[in-house]
Amino acid sequence: MNTVVASILAVLGLTLFDTASAQLIHTCVDNKQGTIRVASTAGCRSSESPLSWNQVGPAGPTGPAGPPGPQGVTGATGATGATGATGAMGPMGVAGVQGPQGPQGAQGTPGPVYRAVLQSAAALPNSAVLQINNVPAGNYQVNAFVRLVSTSVTANPKIGCTVYVFPQSGGQFVPVQAFAKFYKDTTSSAMSGLYAAPGPFGAALNCGFETPDDYYSGQGIEVWPDITTLVFTKVGDFLP
Protein backbone atom coordinates (compact mmCIF):
# COMPACT_ATOMS: atom_id res chain seq x y z
CA MET A 1 0.00 0.00 0.00
CA ASN A 2 2.65 2.45 0.93
CA THR A 3 4.55 1.64 -2.28
CA VAL A 4 1.45 2.36 -4.36
CA VAL A 5 0.83 5.69 -2.64
CA ALA A 6 4.47 6.76 -3.03
CA SER A 7 4.35 5.85 -6.73
CA ILE A 8 1.23 7.92 -7.22
CA LEU A 9 2.77 10.90 -5.45
CA ALA A 10 5.91 10.63 -7.57
CA VAL A 11 3.85 10.61 -10.78
CA LEU A 12 1.82 13.59 -9.68
CA GLY A 13 4.86 15.47 -8.37
CA LEU A 14 3.25 15.84 -4.96
CA THR A 15 4.68 15.62 -1.45
CA LEU A 16 2.93 14.47 1.71
CA PHE A 17 2.97 17.09 4.52
CA ASP A 18 1.49 17.49 7.93
CA THR A 19 -2.08 18.79 7.63
CA ALA A 20 -1.42 21.42 10.28
CA SER A 21 1.43 23.10 8.42
CA ALA A 22 -0.08 24.08 5.00
CA GLN A 23 -3.23 24.30 2.92
CA LEU A 24 -3.96 20.67 1.86
CA ILE A 25 -5.84 18.73 -0.78
CA HIS A 26 -7.77 15.93 0.90
CA THR A 27 -8.25 12.59 -0.98
CA CYS A 28 -9.28 9.02 -0.24
CA VAL A 29 -7.30 5.92 -1.37
CA ASP A 30 -9.06 2.60 -2.00
CA ASN A 31 -7.39 0.07 0.27
CA LYS A 32 -7.63 -2.75 -2.28
CA GLN A 33 -7.42 -1.11 -5.67
CA GLY A 34 -5.11 1.78 -4.71
CA THR A 35 -7.25 4.25 -6.66
CA ILE A 36 -7.45 7.86 -5.43
CA ARG A 37 -10.36 10.24 -5.40
CA VAL A 38 -10.81 13.70 -4.02
CA ALA A 39 -12.51 13.46 -0.70
CA SER A 40 -15.95 14.97 -0.29
CA THR A 41 -17.02 16.87 2.70
CA ALA A 42 -18.39 13.60 4.09
CA GLY A 43 -14.90 12.14 4.38
CA CYS A 44 -13.55 8.69 3.29
CA ARG A 45 -15.38 5.40 3.28
CA SER A 46 -14.52 2.53 5.56
CA SER A 47 -12.71 0.79 2.69
CA GLU A 48 -10.57 3.84 2.04
CA SER A 49 -7.71 5.59 3.77
CA PRO A 50 -7.44 9.39 3.89
CA LEU A 51 -4.47 10.99 2.08
CA SER A 52 -3.70 14.69 1.89
CA TRP A 53 -0.92 16.70 0.16
CA ASN A 54 0.08 20.34 -0.10
CA GLN A 55 -1.35 22.51 -2.82
CA VAL A 56 2.04 24.32 -3.18
CA GLY A 57 5.40 22.61 -2.93
CA PRO A 58 8.17 23.91 -0.65
CA ALA A 59 10.53 26.69 -1.88
CA GLY A 60 13.67 25.41 -3.55
CA PRO A 61 17.17 26.49 -2.53
CA THR A 62 18.38 29.96 -3.57
CA GLY A 63 19.99 29.87 -6.98
CA PRO A 64 23.45 31.33 -7.67
CA ALA A 65 23.70 35.06 -8.32
CA GLY A 66 23.42 36.03 -11.96
CA PRO A 67 26.15 38.04 -13.75
CA PRO A 68 26.00 41.87 -13.33
CA GLY A 69 23.82 43.61 -15.83
CA PRO A 70 25.18 46.35 -18.15
CA GLN A 71 25.65 49.83 -16.67
CA GLY A 72 22.64 52.04 -17.10
CA VAL A 73 22.73 55.44 -18.76
CA THR A 74 23.71 58.43 -16.60
CA GLY A 75 20.71 60.15 -15.08
CA ALA A 76 19.94 63.84 -15.53
CA THR A 77 21.63 66.33 -13.18
CA GLY A 78 19.50 67.08 -10.19
CA ALA A 79 18.40 70.57 -9.19
CA THR A 80 20.85 72.69 -7.18
CA GLY A 81 20.22 72.45 -3.47
CA ALA A 82 19.54 75.41 -1.23
CA THR A 83 22.54 77.41 0.02
CA GLY A 84 23.66 76.28 3.43
CA ALA A 85 24.11 78.59 6.40
CA THR A 86 27.37 80.55 6.66
CA GLY A 87 29.92 78.75 8.78
CA ALA A 88 31.69 80.27 11.76
CA MET A 89 34.70 82.50 11.06
CA GLY A 90 37.95 80.64 11.22
CA PRO A 91 40.98 81.74 13.25
CA MET A 92 43.14 84.58 11.93
CA GLY A 93 45.99 83.39 9.78
CA VAL A 94 49.65 84.15 10.31
CA ALA A 95 50.74 87.56 9.01
CA GLY A 96 52.46 87.39 5.66
CA VAL A 97 55.90 88.74 4.92
CA GLN A 98 56.19 92.43 4.17
CA GLY A 99 56.00 93.25 0.50
CA PRO A 100 58.53 95.35 -1.40
CA GLN A 101 58.37 99.11 -1.12
CA GLY A 102 56.15 100.69 -3.73
CA PRO A 103 57.25 103.44 -6.11
CA GLN A 104 57.35 106.99 -4.88
CA GLY A 105 54.06 108.81 -5.31
CA ALA A 106 53.57 111.97 -7.27
CA GLN A 107 54.51 115.21 -5.54
CA GLY A 108 51.58 116.73 -3.71
CA THR A 109 50.14 120.15 -4.24
CA PRO A 110 52.13 122.82 -2.38
CA GLY A 111 50.45 124.09 0.77
CA PRO A 112 49.29 127.68 1.29
CA VAL A 113 52.08 130.26 1.56
CA TYR A 114 51.96 133.33 3.84
CA ARG A 115 54.58 135.88 2.87
CA ALA A 116 55.72 139.37 3.78
CA VAL A 117 58.45 141.32 1.98
CA LEU A 118 59.98 144.62 3.10
CA GLN A 119 62.27 146.71 0.97
CA SER A 120 64.20 149.95 1.73
CA ALA A 121 63.00 150.37 5.31
CA ALA A 122 64.06 153.19 7.63
CA ALA A 123 67.29 152.93 9.58
CA LEU A 124 67.61 150.88 12.75
CA PRO A 125 66.61 150.79 15.53
CA ASN A 126 63.32 152.45 14.66
CA SER A 127 62.13 149.95 12.02
CA ALA A 128 62.99 146.59 10.51
CA VAL A 129 59.89 144.89 11.90
CA LEU A 130 58.18 142.69 9.32
CA GLN A 131 54.81 141.17 10.31
CA ILE A 132 52.29 138.60 8.99
CA ASN A 133 48.77 138.29 10.43
CA ASN A 134 45.88 135.82 10.31
CA VAL A 135 47.86 132.64 9.62
CA PRO A 136 45.66 129.55 10.33
CA ALA A 137 46.67 126.62 12.53
CA GLY A 138 48.95 123.99 11.06
CA ASN A 139 52.53 122.82 10.64
CA TYR A 140 54.72 125.32 8.78
CA GLN A 141 58.09 125.56 7.11
CA VAL A 142 59.54 128.95 8.12
CA ASN A 143 62.02 130.84 5.94
CA ALA A 144 63.45 134.29 6.53
CA PHE A 145 66.06 136.43 4.78
CA VAL A 146 67.62 139.75 5.74
CA ARG A 147 70.12 141.94 3.94
CA LEU A 148 71.41 145.04 5.73
CA VAL A 149 73.02 148.14 4.32
CA SER A 150 75.30 150.47 6.31
CA THR A 151 76.78 153.87 5.60
CA SER A 152 80.02 152.90 7.34
CA VAL A 153 82.57 150.25 6.63
CA THR A 154 84.56 150.84 9.84
CA ALA A 155 81.97 150.63 12.61
CA ASN A 156 81.39 147.21 14.13
CA PRO A 157 77.96 147.14 15.78
CA LYS A 158 76.40 143.69 16.39
CA ILE A 159 72.91 143.37 14.94
CA GLY A 160 70.68 140.34 15.31
CA CYS A 161 67.33 139.29 13.83
CA THR A 162 64.69 137.02 15.34
CA VAL A 163 61.42 135.46 14.08
CA TYR A 164 58.58 135.71 16.61
CA VAL A 165 55.04 134.28 16.70
CA PHE A 166 52.06 135.45 18.73
CA PRO A 167 48.42 134.32 19.15
CA GLN A 168 46.18 136.07 16.66
CA SER A 169 43.69 136.83 19.42
CA GLY A 170 46.40 138.73 21.25
CA GLY A 171 49.20 137.68 23.54
CA GLN A 172 52.92 137.66 24.13
CA PHE A 173 55.47 137.40 21.33
CA VAL A 174 57.29 134.08 21.51
CA PRO A 175 60.64 133.69 19.69
CA VAL A 176 60.81 130.85 17.20
CA GLN A 177 64.39 131.17 16.10
CA ALA A 178 67.11 133.83 16.31
CA PHE A 179 69.50 134.27 13.44
CA ALA A 180 71.49 136.82 11.46
CA LYS A 181 74.36 138.02 13.64
CA PHE A 182 75.54 140.97 11.61
CA TYR A 183 79.00 142.45 11.83
CA LYS A 184 80.82 144.88 9.60
CA ASP A 185 81.79 142.14 7.15
CA THR A 186 78.36 140.42 7.11
CA THR A 187 75.55 141.98 5.14
CA SER A 188 72.97 139.20 4.73
CA SER A 189 71.70 136.10 6.53
CA ALA A 190 68.88 133.52 6.22
CA MET A 191 67.12 131.01 8.42
CA SER A 192 64.96 127.92 7.89
CA GLY A 193 62.97 126.07 10.52
CA LEU A 194 59.66 124.44 11.46
CA TYR A 195 56.77 125.73 13.55
CA ALA A 196 53.61 123.90 14.72
CA ALA A 197 50.71 126.27 15.38
CA PRO A 198 47.74 124.93 17.40
CA GLY A 199 45.60 127.95 16.47
CA PRO A 200 45.53 131.08 14.29
CA PHE A 201 48.63 133.20 14.79
CA GLY A 202 50.70 136.09 13.58
CA ALA A 203 54.43 136.26 12.99
CA ALA A 204 57.06 138.99 12.95
CA LEU A 205 60.68 139.40 11.90
CA ASN A 206 62.53 141.94 14.01
CA CYS A 207 66.11 143.18 13.62
CA GLY A 208 67.98 145.40 16.05
CA PHE A 209 71.18 146.07 17.92
CA GLU A 210 71.99 143.22 20.26
CA THR A 211 73.03 145.36 23.25
CA PRO A 212 72.94 149.06 24.12
CA ASP A 213 76.70 149.15 23.65
CA ASP A 214 76.27 147.98 20.10
CA TYR A 215 73.72 150.73 19.57
CA TYR A 216 75.96 153.43 20.97
CA SER A 217 78.95 152.22 19.00
CA GLY A 218 76.84 152.72 15.93
CA GLN A 219 75.82 156.31 16.69
CA GLY A 220 75.99 158.40 13.58
CA ILE A 221 75.97 155.27 11.41
CA GLU A 222 72.83 154.38 9.53
CA VAL A 223 72.02 150.69 9.25
CA TRP A 224 68.83 149.57 7.59
CA PRO A 225 67.36 146.42 6.02
CA ASP A 226 67.64 146.61 2.29
CA ILE A 227 65.60 143.44 1.64
CA THR A 228 63.74 141.48 4.33
CA THR A 229 61.54 138.44 3.63
CA LEU A 230 59.42 136.27 5.96
CA VAL A 231 57.59 133.21 4.57
CA PHE A 232 55.39 130.58 6.32
CA THR A 233 54.58 127.60 4.04
CA LYS A 234 52.00 125.12 5.36
CA VAL A 235 53.24 121.53 5.16
CA GLY A 236 50.47 119.75 7.09
CA ASP A 237 47.72 119.94 9.66
CA PHE A 238 48.52 120.51 13.31
CA LEU A 239 48.76 117.28 15.34
CA PRO A 240 48.78 117.71 19.12
Side-chain angles (χ1 to χ4, degrees), residues 149-162:
V149 177
S150 174
T151 58
S152 172
V153 294
T154 59
N156 192 27
K158 298 181 181 68
I159 300 171
C161 297
T162 303

Side-chain angles (χ1 to χ4, degrees), residues 146 159-161 178-182 188-190 207 210:
V146 175
I159 300 171
C161 297
F179 74 108
K181 304 295 185 181
F182 291 99
S188 66
S189 185
C207 295
E210 291 216 331

Side-chain angles (χ1 to χ4, degrees), residues 8-240:
I8 295 173
L9 292 177
V11 173
L12 295 177
L14 302 177
T15 305
L16 182 62
F17 286 94
D18 181 32
T19 58
S21 62
Q23 186 175 2
L24 303 177
I25 298 175
H26 299 283
T27 63
C28 296
V29 180
D30 187 277
N31 294 330
K32 293 182 179 181
Q33 303 296 326
T35 57
I36 299 174
R37 66 178 181 84
V38 177
S40 63
T41 57
C44 295
R45 303 184 187 94
S46 59
S47 61
E48 295 175 329
S49 297
L51 177 65
S52 300
W53 58 82
N54 295 323
Q55 294 186 13
V56 179
T62 302
Q71 182 175 345
V73 296
T74 302
T77 301
T80 301
T83 302
T86 302
M89 180 181 296
M92 180 180 295
V94 179
V97 297
Q98 182 173 347
Q101 181 174 345
Q104 182 174 343
Q107 183 173 351
T109 304
V113 177
Y114 301 87
R115 180 193 307 269
V117 178
L118 178 67
Q119 292 183 341
S120 302
L124 298 178
N126 298 319
S127 65
V129 174
L130 189 61
Q131 187 165 315
I132 302 174
N133 293 308
N134 299 315
V135 182
N139 294 330
Y140 288 87
Q141 173 71 41
V142 184
N143 295 93
F145 174 81
V146 175
R147 186 176 72 180
L148 296 181
V149 177
S150 174
T151 58
S152 172
V153 294
T154 59
N156 192 27
K158 298 181 181 68
I159 300 171
C161 297
T162 303
V163 176
Y164 296 89
V165 294
F166 54 91
Q168 194 62 65
S169 58
Q172 184 177 5
F173 278 59
V174 178
V176 175
Q177 185 169 339
F179 74 108
K181 304 295 185 181
F182 291 99
Y183 303 96
K184 69 176 183 178
D185 57 348
T186 305
T187 59
S188 66
S189 185
M191 66 82 66
S192 178
L194 296 173
Y195 176 64
F201 67 99
L205 172 60
N206 183 24
C207 295
F209 296 102
E210 291 216 331
T211 67
D213 291 339
D214 293 320
Y215 172 69
Y216 292 127
S217 67
Q219 287 291 337
I221 302 171
E222 289 187 342
V223 180
W224 66 93
D226 180 40
I227 299 176
T228 306
T229 304
L230 179 60
V231 180
F232 279 72
T233 303
K234 188 174 184 180
V235 295
D237 295 328
F238 175 79
L239 297 176

